[in-house]
Amino acid sequence: MAQGGRKIVIGVDESAFSEQAFNFYVENFLREDDTLFLVHTPERYNFVDANLGTPVEHPHRELLEEVRHKVEALEAKYNKKIETMGIKSAKFLKRHGDPGEAIVHVAEKEHANLIVTGCRGMGLLRRTFMGSVSDYVMHHASCPVLVCRK
């Protein structure tokens, strides 16, 4: 990993918003000596309700396997983008729990210079009840945050 450059944390998931934020950063701000930390937290499932109407003996195993495959595919996708775009220093980090908390935690641990995140454009009511990763990050990060809107 680059020692002298900036440390950039980018929240990634399967959404187009996430990919647009990554691409915007790379196309407009990336420096040769930047180190990127791509942070992903897999979708959480309610395993108590997982087998409702499902004739599967162990639905939680199937869900965990599905999550594992999705995470591996996402990591492979971003690793390919990193290689194709000639990014020299990047790391894909898998975390569990709340995405906003995970992004802020990695940024603090790595002494990040910037956090980049996408924005889903939720309305006020939905954002109030569901929460927003970008809102959480903006209010809890100790470094600058770039929120990319489409």
Side-chain angles (χ1 to χ4, degrees), residues 66-115:
E66 179 183 332
V67 168
R68 187 178 66 76
H69 285 297
K70 283 183 176 181
V71 171
E72 287 173 355
L74 186 69
E75 183 174 8
K77 172 185 171 179
Y78 277 97
N79 283 338
K80 184 175 182 179
K81 287 175 81 71
I82 287 164
E83 184 180 335
T84 301
M85 295 174 165
I87 298 169
K88 294 179 178 157
S89 182
K91 188 181 236 183
F92 188 94
L93 304 173
K94 297 165 242 178
R95 297 294 184 259
H96 298 284
D98 180 76
E101 290 176 9
I103 292 167
V104 169
H105 176 76
V106 169
E108 289 173 356
K109 181 181 173 212
E110 298 297 337
H111 305 286
N113 301 97
L114 177 69
I115 297 173

Side-chain angles (χ1 to χ4, degrees), residues 1 11 18 36 38 43 68 76 80 98 106 117 125 137 145:
M1 295 264 168
S18 169
L36 305 185
L38 283 70
E43 186 177 351
R68 187 178 66 76
K80 184 175 182 179
D98 180 76
V106 169
T117 183
L125 186 61
V137 171
V145 177

Side-chain angles (χ1 to χ4, degrees), residues 11 13 15-22 116-123 127 131-135 138 145-150:
D13 60 18
S15 72
F17 304 103
S18 169
E19 188 168 2
Q20 290 165 357
F22 175 86
V116 179
T117 183
C119 179
R120 295 184 189 277
M122 292 189 287
R127 192 170 56 243
S132 163
V133 173
S134 57
D135 276 353
M138 285 189 306
V145 177
L146 173 63
V147 179
C148 299
R149 297 186 70 119
K150 171 118 174 138

Side-chain angles (χ1 to χ4, degrees), residues 9-10 39-40 50 65 87 125 146:
V9 173
I10 304 176
V39 180
H40 176 67
E65 190 66 17
I87 298 169
L125 186 61
L146 173 63

